Amino acid sequence: MKLSQRTRKLWPPLAVFGALISGWYALAYSLDNNFASGDGSALIIPPPHQLFVGLNDSTIDRIISATYISASTALVGLLTATIIGILVGIIMNLSRSLESALWPWLIALQVTPIIVLTPIIVRVAGPTFGARVLVTVLIAFFPIASNTLFGLRSVSQPLHDVFTLAKCSRWQRLAQLELPAASPAIFAGLRVSAGLAVIGAVVGDFFFTRGTPGLGRLITYFFQDTRSGPMFVTALVTAFLGLGFFVVVETLRRLIVSPWHQT
Amino acid sequence: MALSAPTAAHPAPNHQLQVEHLGHRFDATAVLSDVSLNVADNEIVAIVGPSGCGKTTLLRACAGLLSPTSGVVCRTDQSVGFVFQEPALLAWRRVAHNAALLSADQALIEHLLVVSGLGEHRHKWPYQLSGGTKMRLSLVRTLAAQPSLVLLDEPFGALDQITRHRLHDELARLHAERGFAALMVTHAIDEAVYLADRVVVMSQAPGRIVGEFAVPFARTRNNSLRYSPEFGDLCGRIAHCLETHA
């Protein structure tokens, strides 16, 4: 019997998933002293079927609350980074002088690890939601800015000439030609930034020692309390949060760009 | 409306374009030298010349997309249409939407889409079209703006021979229907003779005009003309002029 196209597409990721689960089991049962002598619960790495052992209502509430903090930080951060990134790309596209003035500082910001900037931001702005968002924006906006600039600069000369001959204003050229033409590149940047926004929200959270913890701080609590199960669940929730952001951006890209752009 | 910096003069009566002593340099390199030509109402003038002789530069100066180093370009106040070497379509607009980019006259756009055989493609995206159909759409978009002067920069250069011949007839039919002046740059001598009323020959760079040939055939032309001795003779004389000055 021939496999349907859908099945053929599905089985490679399922095979990798099976291999990962097998490896996880192998690792959990190969570690010395991984299981307590009494109730047999995992101490270091819980095997998949023990993940939810020890997850009481209070722990679940803490994970939900931390997920809300991190998700809202990542969402507001990504939206802000998108607006700022596109604006910076447009500004740099206005003139080579503006590009050469801004570009070195953007590179400097990009290559500086966010982990060393976060304590400075917390010290200056305090452990506020705004400070969390700022950390996320700093890590997420560069791919959008650089891809926007690349996309705007990629518009062909004949297309510019068509708009010049039609005596279009600068705004019409931007809105009707440059931004639509740059949208595939902008979405390519957004896909990278979506993952970075979640990373920024979680990593930045390590330094926010007051208020309700986000996923980053919660995972350190579970680590310090040697609660392997909740720690792994929190890690999985973080992974799914990143995946969710990616899926939303990818869905938007498919709706807006894919119908006319062959990728 | 004059497009070049030195003047705001209008062309002579019954003319859409007048170029006088045009010269242009890119840094130290002279591209055009003392080029003078004119295009009358409803006339098609073709320019042939070797690669790099400044044909496209001349066309861009005529459109006002480039300020020439010296000389004068005079045009009427009416709009100019430009058909580029590539179709220059907006990839994110469907065919009908692309055709309407430069015009709000829906009836005219609809008419042009139908007569150019694009009616059945109106809901397609540009990437779904063949090279010839894209170029046809580019032509429709330009003519929908009802320009009094159309500048064509090797619009059929990238197409196969059969498609090219079809589009020659398409352009001739639209010209007969809409009535516009045209200045067309091409590498193909047979294309120039088939479509134009006059063929202007340019020399190697710096480009200057070294020959001008009136095309004696009646305006309504068909494919059999290409195989007539008179057509071949005129093409031969133009080719000889081109080779002499290459």
Side-chain angles (χ1 to χ4, degrees), chain A residues 156-177:
Chain A
S156 73
Q157 188 57 47
L159 277 172
H160 272 299
D161 290 342
V162 170
F163 276 68
T164 302
L165 289 170
K167 299 182 175 68
C168 291
S169 65
R170 188 71 192 83
W171 167 248
Q172 284 175 313
R173 189 184 296 267
L174 178 68
Q176 293 183 35
L177 173 65

Side-chain angles (χ1 to χ4, degrees), chain A residues 226-262:
Chain A
T226 60
R227 296 181 64 192
S228 296
M231 192 175 80
F232 270 73
V233 170
T234 310
L236 279 176
V237 167
T238 309
F240 278 109
L241 185 63
L243 192 64
F245 269 65
F246 179 85
V247 167
V248 169
V249 169
E250 182 61 11
T251 305
L252 284 174
R253 189 192 70 81
R254 279 172 188 253
L255 286 173
I256 296 169
V257 173
S258 284
W260 55 268
H261 189 257
Q262 297 295 287

Side-chain angles (χ1 to χ4, degrees), chain B residues 18 60 65 81 85 91 97 168 187-189 194 207 238:
Chain B
Q18 205 167 344
R60 291 177 64 79
L65 293 169
Q85 288 179 26
H97 208 181
H168 290 165
H187 276 300
I189 295 171
Y194 189 76
I238 294 170

Side-chain angles (χ1 to χ4, degrees), chain B residues 144-164:
Chain B
Q146 302 188 66
S148 55
L149 173 67
V150 178
L151 305 169
L152 302 107
D153 186 7
E154 296 178 42
F156 313 123
L159 305 174
D160 65 86
Q161 191 174 336
I162 294 171
T163 310
R164 212 163 56 223

